[in-house]
Amino acid sequence: MNEAIDSLHTQTGSAPIGTLDPDCLIACPNCDALQLDAPVPVGALARCHRCGTVLMAPREQAMTRIVMLAATALVLMVAAVFFPFLEISAGGMVQRSSLLDAVLAFSSGLMLPLTFATAALIIVLPSLRLASIVYALAPMALGWHPARHAVPVFRLAQALRPWAMAEIFIVGVAVALVKVAGLATLSFGPAFWTFSALVLVTVLSDTFMCRISVWKTLEERRQP
Amino acid sequence: MTTSAPHPIPPAITARQAGLVGCQGCGKVHHAGVSVCQRCGAPLHSRMPGSLQRVWAWLFAGIVVYIPANIYPMLLTTSFGRTTENTIVGGVMDLIDYGSYGVAAIVFLASVVIPVGKFLAIGYLALVVRDGSRIGRGSGLHGRQHLFEVVEFIGRWSMIDVFVVAILAALVQLDFAATISPGIAAVSFSLSVAFTMLAAQSFDPRLIWDAEEGTAR
């Protein structure tokens, strides 16, 4: 299905590549090797001929899918924050906690900075990242010109990627459940399922994302 | 991947050798001297300036705060008036006592194996890419590249234990029966994760492949 495009290299094997126009070249972000910037067919995979890093992997209708999935994830995030997340009962006492409660757990004294960090990692940064993806790419999906400041906004989305830790939080929830299991009975609130769906949708959206193709589209559409 | 052709692959020409600069964000090639990428607006550097210094600085910061993270308690459990303190490793021991070996393995992996492995891997990469150590073309470079990708991908998963503490502390507030509150180690552990993530991000992977350029010259 995914055939590697090695022709990038064979075309340049003998030509003095340094004399070529920089606009028809692409440099591997990981190893700096120059290669011809040949068009990559939809569904194919272009790898760097030296280090094997995937340079481009354009998918069919990628823009529309990314935007739709990111918008879905944003809606799910709103629901996940406000509905009850987990419910615990022991000895007749019931404790409900929402995602916000989990975040505010560190809100005493020295732990306060950790409150902000947790809030950022599991709510603010994922939401900001999804919102910037929608903002930068929605006009692309509709075939319009890019929105104002689409370039810095998409750069922000890329920079936020390692710091948006919603999926790690879900694994944390699973571990916490096992730890509490001996102590009390637990049940999931609606927000737990919403948040899990959000993680799945985000991952799905990221698999369609090919950053070099997105940057190229943004660049092309900027031309009047 | 590449088929084994009878003729060997000619050495790659890097953007730096050609007097050009490649953008790390979007791959666009510019003439040397252009300082901002015209496609994505990212600052352009042939090699990230001071990359290794920043890697070492973040790495040492990460190691230093990892020490109190292991000494001080991560969780304070108060049950019927008795308070017990749990360090990271203590929490793993408890899980083993409960018989949840799988979860114990996940926590141990995320809070001990991954951080320590990351310190070693980043330190190793930063040591071997220094100018002095040139190695033959192709040998080991793919391995180093692979190691770097793994470190970059896996580092953030160490945050699991901090999130577990957050959830437990929010959830288990059952007055007399049981109360869980976070310990100071949660702060230093999350700082350690953040610092090593920054160390990995400061590392310029193009330095790995410069070793190849060294022998070709």
Side-chain angles (χ1 to χ4, degrees), chain B residues 173-197:
Chain B
Q173 298 293 340
L174 300 166
D175 297 329
F176 191 61
T179 307
I180 291 182
S181 42
I184 193 72
V187 175
S188 49
F189 187 77
S190 21
L191 281 179
S192 174
V193 176
F195 288 163
T196 40
M197 277 174 74

Side-chain angles (χ1 to χ4, degrees), chain A residues 43-223:
Chain A
L45 206 66
R47 288 178 183 277
C48 170
H49 68 263
R50 176 154 79 156
C51 69
T53 306
V54 175
L55 293 173
M56 274 179 277
R59 302 290 191 85
E60 199 167 350
Q61 298 251 293
M63 289 290 184
T64 319
R65 286 180 184 171
I66 294 169
V67 171
M68 291 304 172
L69 289 168
T72 313
L74 259 181
V75 175
L76 290 173
M77 179 62 101
V78 175
V81 170
F82 295 106
F83 285 124
F85 193 73
L86 289 169
E87 221 178 69
I88 183 171
S89 53
M93 277 180 293
V94 176
Q95 166 94 19
R96 270 194 195 87
S97 55
S98 68
L99 209 54
L100 277 177
D101 293 328
V103 163
L104 293 177
F106 296 125
S107 57
S108 57
L110 261 176
M111 299 287 167
L112 201 61
L114 204 52
T115 307
F116 291 113
T118 341
L121 293 177
I122 62 183
I123 302 176
V124 181
L125 295 183
S127 312
L128 186 62
R129 172 162 181 261
L130 292 167
S132 21
I133 289 175
V134 172
Y135 177 83
L137 300 189
M140 303 290 97
L142 296 169
W144 297 348
H145 286 300
R148 286 182 67 189
H149 308 301
V151 167
V153 169
F154 187 66
R155 203 141 39 83
L156 175 75
Q158 289 294 89
L160 287 179
R161 193 169 176 171
W163 301 99
M165 298 192 181
E167 69 271 34
I168 298 166
F169 182 73
I170 281 289
V171 178
V173 172
V175 173
L177 290 189
V178 174
K179 280 199 163 184
V180 182
L183 208 65
T185 2
L186 269 171
S187 48
F188 300 117
F192 176 80
W193 303 111
T194 337
F195 201 76
S196 311
L198 164 109
V199 167
L200 278 180
V201 168
T202 313
V203 169
L204 207 58
S205 153
D206 287 346
T207 55
F208 286 109
M209 178 88 79
C210 159
R211 60 177 176 159
I212 294 184
S213 309
V214 169
W215 280 121
K216 282 183 171 175
T217 319
L218 273 172
E219 189 184 35
E220 281 161 21
R221 300 277 177 81
R222 254 187 298 166
Q223 322 295 340

Side-chain angles (χ1 to χ4, degrees), chain A residues 4 6 9 12-13 15-18 20-23 25-35 37 47-53 85-90 93-98 101-103 105-106 108 110-111 114 118 121-122 151-152 155 158-159 161-169 171-180 183-184 186 211-212 215-216 218-219 222, chain B residues 1-3 9-16 18 20-31 38-43 46-47 75 79 91-92 95 98 100 103 106-107 142 145 148-149 156-178 180 182-187 190 193-194 197-198 201 204-207 209-210 212-213:
Chain A
D6 283 315
H9 187 262
T12 60
I17 197 165
L20 287 166
D21 179 17
D23 283 342
L25 295 174
I26 185 166
C28 172
N30 268 352
C31 75
D32 212 25
L34 286 174
Q35 27 228 315
D37 191 1
R47 288 178 183 277
C48 170
H49 68 263
R50 176 154 79 156
C51 69
T53 306
F85 193 73
L86 289 169
E87 221 178 69
I88 183 171
S89 53
M93 277 180 293
V94 176
Q95 166 94 19
R96 270 194 195 87
S97 55
S98 68
D101 293 328
V103 163
F106 296 125
S108 57
L110 261 176
M111 299 287 167
L114 204 52
T118 341
L121 293 177
I122 62 183
V151 167
R155 203 141 39 83
Q158 289 294 89
R161 193 169 176 171
W163 301 99
M165 298 192 181
E167 69 271 34
I168 298 166
F169 182 73
V171 178
V173 172
V175 173
L177 290 189
V178 174
K179 280 199 163 184
V180 182
L183 208 65
L186 269 171
R211 60 177 176 159
I212 294 184
W215 280 121
K216 282 183 171 175
L218 273 172
E219 189 184 35
R222 254 187 298 166
Chain B
M1 283 300 297
T2 324
T3 48
I9 304 168
I13 302 160
T14 64
R16 184 170 69 173
L20 302 167
V21 184
C23 175
Q24 274 204 296
C26 67
K28 190 173 168 69
V29 182
H30 300 263
H31 287 291
Q38 285 151 14
R39 183 187 280 160
C40 70
S46 184
R47 298 291 177 271
L75 267 184
S79 186
V92 176
L95 282 169
Y98 295 154
S100 342
V103 181
I106 292 178
V107 177
H142 282 281
Q145 166 84 20
F148 175 68
E149 279 165 6
R156 41 208 291 275
W157 285 92
S158 298
M159 283 302 271
I160 288 180
D161 219 24
V162 177
F163 292 147
V164 170
V165 173
I167 299 158
L168 288 181
L171 205 59
V172 186
Q173 298 293 340
L174 300 166
D175 297 329
F176 191 61
I180 291 182
I184 193 72
V187 175
S190 21
V193 176
M197 277 174 74
L198 287 167
Q201 283 179 18
D204 190 338
R206 293 176 291 195
L207 294 174
W209 294 88
D210 286 346
E212 186 172 292
E213 217 172 285

